Amino acid sequence: MYLAAGFAKLARVSGTDHFDDSTVCRLDTQRKLVEPCSIVIFGASGDLTARKLIPALYHLFKDKQLPTAFRIIGFARREKTDESFRAELRAALDQFSRTQPVAAAVWSEFAAHLVYCQGDLNDPAAYQKLEQRLTAFNDPALRHNLLFYLAISPSQFGVAVEQLHRAGLLPRHPTTGWQRIVVEKPFGHDLASAHTLNSELTQYADENQVFRIDHYLGKETVQNILMFRFSNSIFERLWNRESVDHIQITVSEKHAVGGRGGYYEEAGAMRDMVQNHMLQVLALVAMEPPVSLEAESIRDEKVKLLKSIRPLSADDVARQVVRGQYFAGVVDGQSQPGYRQEPKVNPNSNVETYVALKLFIDNWRWSGVPFYLRTGKTLPLGASEVRIQFRPTPNVLFAAACGAKLDPNALTLRLQPDEGISMRFNGKIPGTQVGVRPVRMHFSYDSEFGAYTPEAYERLLLEAMAGDATLFIRRDEVETAWTIVDSIRKGWEGKPLTNREFYAAGTWGPVAAEDLLAHSGHVWRDPQPIK
Ligand code: BG6
C-alpha cells in the first residue's frame, strides 16, 4: 500500500471551509503490519550504517513504529563486541540523528536490541555463526523473519546472497516466515552489469524478495506526486499535451564532489543521478494512472513510461544532451576548486558533474511535449523541483498587448528544501493604471503540517519490513533505465568535453545547456530560494 500518510479532506462546517481531523482519510489501515523480525546489516562498520540506517531505525523505535520484538545484527569483518558496536553507533547518532540531543533513555532501550556478528563475507563459517546468533534469540519470528540489508559494495552482493542461501538463511521459496534482501545503488554501471547483478541475485532469491532502494522514493514530496495527481480532479485533466508546453525537472546541488572523487570518476552525473533518482521522478510525474495502489500496478506504469521514452541515436545525443564539468569558482562565498583538482580525480577527466537532457515521451498523452531534465554539482542553490509549464494563452487580449512579457502559467512541485507546491498565474497589479504580472499561490508543507520531515530511510526500512515493494525498484525498471542511460553514454564515446560544456562552480551550468532550450524557444527556470 503506497500512501500510508494521512491527509486532510476539506470539510464544510457552518458555511466555512476548514480542515478537520475527523475528515482525514487514512490509508494505513490497508498496510501490512510489521511483524517481529531481525534486521541483519552487512557492512555494519560502513558509512551508510552510521549515517542513515541506525539513525533511521532509532527514530522508528522512538516513534514506536518497530515491532515489539526485533533485533538488529551488525555483520562486518572487524573484531567488535556488542558493547563496542553499540558505543560506536551511539557516537554516530550524536553526529547524524535528525533530532538532537539523542534521548538517553530511548537509546539505552534501543541499544539492547543491537548485536554484532564478526565475519568475512566469503567465509561459510561466518554464516553459520550468524545462524547460531539468530537461533539463540529463542524466538521463531526473530530466527525466520529476516531482512538482510546489503550496505556493501555491489561486487559483493553475489557472494553474500549465495552464502546466505547456502546457509539456509535465504530460501528461494520460504516455508517459514519471510526473508528479504535490500540492496543499494549503484545497481550496475550499465545494462549488461545490471543484468548480471540481477541474475546473481535472482539465482538465489526470488525477485519478490529483492528490494532495490532509490532513496528519492522515500521522500515525502516524491510520494506526494501521485497523491497530488490522482487524489485531485482539477490538475490531471491538464496533465497532457493539450495543456502542457513542456516540463522541467531540476535537481541542483550546491555541494561539490569532494571526497567522493574515486566513486564519481566511475559514475558521473548520468549514472549517479539520472539513471535512478531523476528517471524515477520523471516516471511518477508522467506515468498513466495505475489500476490500483498496489505495488505491481504502480511499478507496471512506471516501466511502461520509461519504455515510452524515445530512444536517442548518437546524433540525438549531440542535439539533446549536454554534459558539463565545473571548474574553480565560488559557491556561497567560499572558493571551490575545479572538479579536475578534486582528490582522486584524473586531472584530465571528462567525467560530467552536470547533465541536461531533452527527452520526448512517445505516448498518446505526451506526444511532442519536451521534458527537460538537469542536475549538477556546485550549482548556486541546492534544490529539487518539477515545473509544469503550461501553454501560453491565445494571442489575443492581454497576450496580444503584452507579447512575451505575459508569463505562461506554471505549477511547481518543490521536492526539497522548503517543500511545497506553487501555482503561478497572472493577476492585475492593483492601482489606477493597468498592469499585469505573475503572482503565486503557494502551499508549504511546513506551514500546513509543521516541520515533520522523516528521513527517506525511515520510510523505506519500514516498507521493506512490511514487505511492501511499492517504493522499491523492480528489475525491469532498473534495466529499462539503464537502456536509456547507455544510449546516451554511447553517444559520448570518444568525445571529450568541449569549451561550452565547462562551467564555473557557483553558476547554473554550462552555456550549452541554455542553448538546449533556446532552440525550442524555452528557458530554464531556476529554482528560487523561498524565504
Ligand atoms: C545520491 C548521490 O544518490 O543522491 C549523490 O550519489 C547525491 O551524489 C545524492 O548528492 C542526492 O540526494 P539528496 O537526498 O541529498 O537529494
Side-chain angles (χ1 to χ4, degrees):
M1 199 34 261
Y2 189 78
L3 304 160
F7 61 97
K9 191 163 76 180
L10 209 58
R12 187 161 281 277
V13 177
S14 316
T16 50
D17 285 336
H18 80 168
F19 297 101
D20 180 336
D21 269 358
S22 69
T23 63
V24 167
C25 168
R26 284 217 156 264
L27 288 91
D28 331 44
T29 45
Q30 292 168 43
R31 182 187 212 155
K32 289 186 204 135
L33 281 181
V34 179
E35 296 165 348
C37 61
S38 295
I39 302 156
V40 183
I41 303 177
F42 287 87
S45 302
D47 218 36
L48 185 73
T49 306
R51 279 175 185 271
K52 298 286 182 193
L53 304 182
I54 293 300
L57 289 163
Y58 161 78
H59 281 103
L60 288 174
F61 178 75
K62 190 163 174 269
D63 295 343
K64 307 204 179 335
Q65 305 239 38
L66 290 182
T68 40
F70 74 95
R71 292 288 189 286
I72 299 167
I73 306 184
F75 182 105
R77 212 172 19 200
R78 284 186 217 156
E79 283 292 350
K80 275 176 216 176
T81 60
D82 290 350
E83 284 66 34
S84 61
F85 181 54
R86 289 173 190 155
E88 259 175 36
L89 296 180
R90 176 68 176 81
L93 207 54
D94 281 335
Q95 210 182 336
F96 301 118
S97 168
R98 70 175 165 84
T99 55
Q100 295 288 355
V102 173
V106 179
W107 165 259
S108 63
E109 232 186 292
F110 173 71
H113 299 258
L114 287 172
V115 300
Y116 186 74
C117 180
Q118 188 277 334
D120 183 325
L121 281 173
N122 297 295
D123 179 8
Y127 298 80
Q128 299 305 333
K129 196 157 88 180
L130 176 62
E131 202 269 341
Q132 284 156 15
R133 286 220 80 163
L134 291 165
T135 308
F137 294 148
N138 220 2
D139 177 337
L142 299 183
R143 164 61 186 83
H144 294 291
N145 292 341
L146 305 171
L147 188 73
F148 299 108
Y149 201 111
L150 307 189
I152 49 180
S153 139
S155 61
Q156 300 170 312
F157 288 172
V159 66
V161 169
E162 179 180 350
Q163 294 293 346
L164 283 170
H165 180 78
R166 293 198 189 288
L169 291 166
L170 181 65
R172 208 156 185 283
H173 302 289
T175 47
T176 317
W178 49 261
Q179 298 81 40
R180 301 177 191 131
I181 51 177
V182 181
V183 292
E184 276 286 335
K185 80 178 245 279
F187 205 82
H189 52 89
D190 57 12
L191 176 61
S193 57
H195 191 79
T196 307
L197 204 51
N198 276 324
S199 305
E200 274 174 22
L201 294 181
T202 52
Q203 189 180 349
Y204 299 107
D206 192 79
E207 170 64 21
N208 68 22
Q209 293 173 288
V210 182
F211 286 66
R212 297 175 192 81
I213 283 219
D214 182 318
H215 80 277
Y216 262 57
L217 296 185
K219 291 181 191 272
E220 287 287 334
T221 47
V222 173
Q223 290 165 40
N224 190 46
I225 296 173
L226 288 195
M227 205 173 260
F228 178 77
R229 289 187 57 196
F230 302 126
S231 70
N232 294 298
S233 64
I234 55 176
F235 304 111
E236 195 52 26
R237 63 189 64 195
L238 302 177
W239 219 260
N240 55 47
R241 66 179 192 287
E242 306 289 340
S243 308
V244 175
D245 185 70
H246 69 275
I247 291 183
Q248 300 188 7
I249 303 179
T250 300
V251 175
S252 67
E253 298 189 292
K254 233 176 2 185
H255 57 79
V257 166
R260 298 171 77 213
Y263 157 77
Y264 209 82
E265 277 286 277
E266 298 295 317
M270 189 56 113
R271 288 173 167 143
D272 185 45
M273 297 296 286
V274 177
Q275 191 275 341
N276 35 73
H277 311 323
M278 297 203 73
L279 288 179
Q280 283 296 317
V281 171
L282 169 67
L284 293 170
V285 167
M287 69 185 231
E288 293 301 313
V291 293
S292 78
L293 293 175
E294 294 307 317
E296 294 320 319
S297 306
I298 292 174
R299 302 202 295 181
D300 285 347
E301 292 306 331
K302 285 201 284 166
V303 174
K304 234 169 77 188
L305 189 284
L306 293 174
K307 286 189 172 159
S308 321
I309 294 177
R310 187 184 301 167
L312 298 173
S313 66
D315 283 350
D316 296 332
V317 172
R319 275 192 304 269
Q320 289 176 224
V321 184
V322 170
R323 289 174 290 174
Q325 188 188 90
Y326 62 85
F327 57 85
V330 176
V331 185
D332 256 359
Q334 305 281 321
S335 58
Q336 165 64 50
Y339 175 69
R340 290 179 174 180
Q341 285 83 55
E342 300 276 23
K344 299 201 185 139
V345 169
N346 173 352
N348 299 313
S349 175
N350 272 305
V351 165
E352 75 289 356
T353 59
Y354 175 101
V355 64
L357 314 93
K358 177 181 183 179
L359 298 176
F360 287 97
I361 295 172
D362 283 337
N363 67 13
W364 194 263
R365 183 191 285 260
W366 294 119
S367 179
V369 177
F371 282 72
Y372 298 111
L373 276 57
R374 64 173 165 166
T375 184
K377 303 276 187 209
T378 70
L379 302 188
L381 191 73
S384 305
E385 60 183 43
V386 178
R387 186 180 174 104
I388 317 291
Q389 188 75 46
F390 293 100
R391 287 185 181 279
T393 62
N395 196 23
V396 290
L397 306 178
F398 297 106
C402 301
K405 278 196 130 184
L406 192 71
D407 205 48
N409 298 149
L411 181 84
T412 303
L413 310 179
R414 176 78 159 214
L415 305 181
Q416 62 184 28
D418 303 313
E419 292 80 359
I421 297 176
S422 290
M423 181 79 212
R424 195 174 158 105
F425 54 95
N426 293 307
K428 181 180 180 307
I429 303 168
T432 48
Q433 294 173 330
V434 183
V436 58
R437 78 155 168 82
V439 294
R440 205 180 57 147
M441 214 156 63
H442 186 64
F443 148 69
S444 137
Y445 275 76
D446 239 24
S447 32
E448 191 72 30
F449 297 115
Y452 170 67
T453 43
E455 274 274 331
Y457 277 90
E458 294 172 33
R459 181 64 193 272
L460 294 172
L461 280 162
L462 205 56
E463 298 295 316
M465 280 183 253
D468 189 328
T470 314
L471 300 180
F472 298 84
I473 317 289
R474 206 166 62 188
R475 176 179 186 157
D476 48 354
E477 269 183 87
V478 175
E479 295 186 1
T480 310
W482 275 120
T483 310
I484 300 163
V485 166
D486 282 1
S487 67
I488 295 171
R489 293 186 49 81
K490 194 154 179 283
W492 291 345
E493 262 169 27
K495 294 188 187 129
L497 292 165
T498 62
N499 282 344
R500 292 173 66 72
E501 290 174 318
F502 285 91
Y503 62 101
T507 64
W508 277 108
V511 189
E514 303 300 328
D515 302 346
L516 179 71
L517 271 68
H519 290 146
S520 318
H522 297 141
V523 286
W524 289 110
R525 302 293 190 124
D526 300 331
Q528 299 298 313
I530 299 180
K531 282 169 200 168

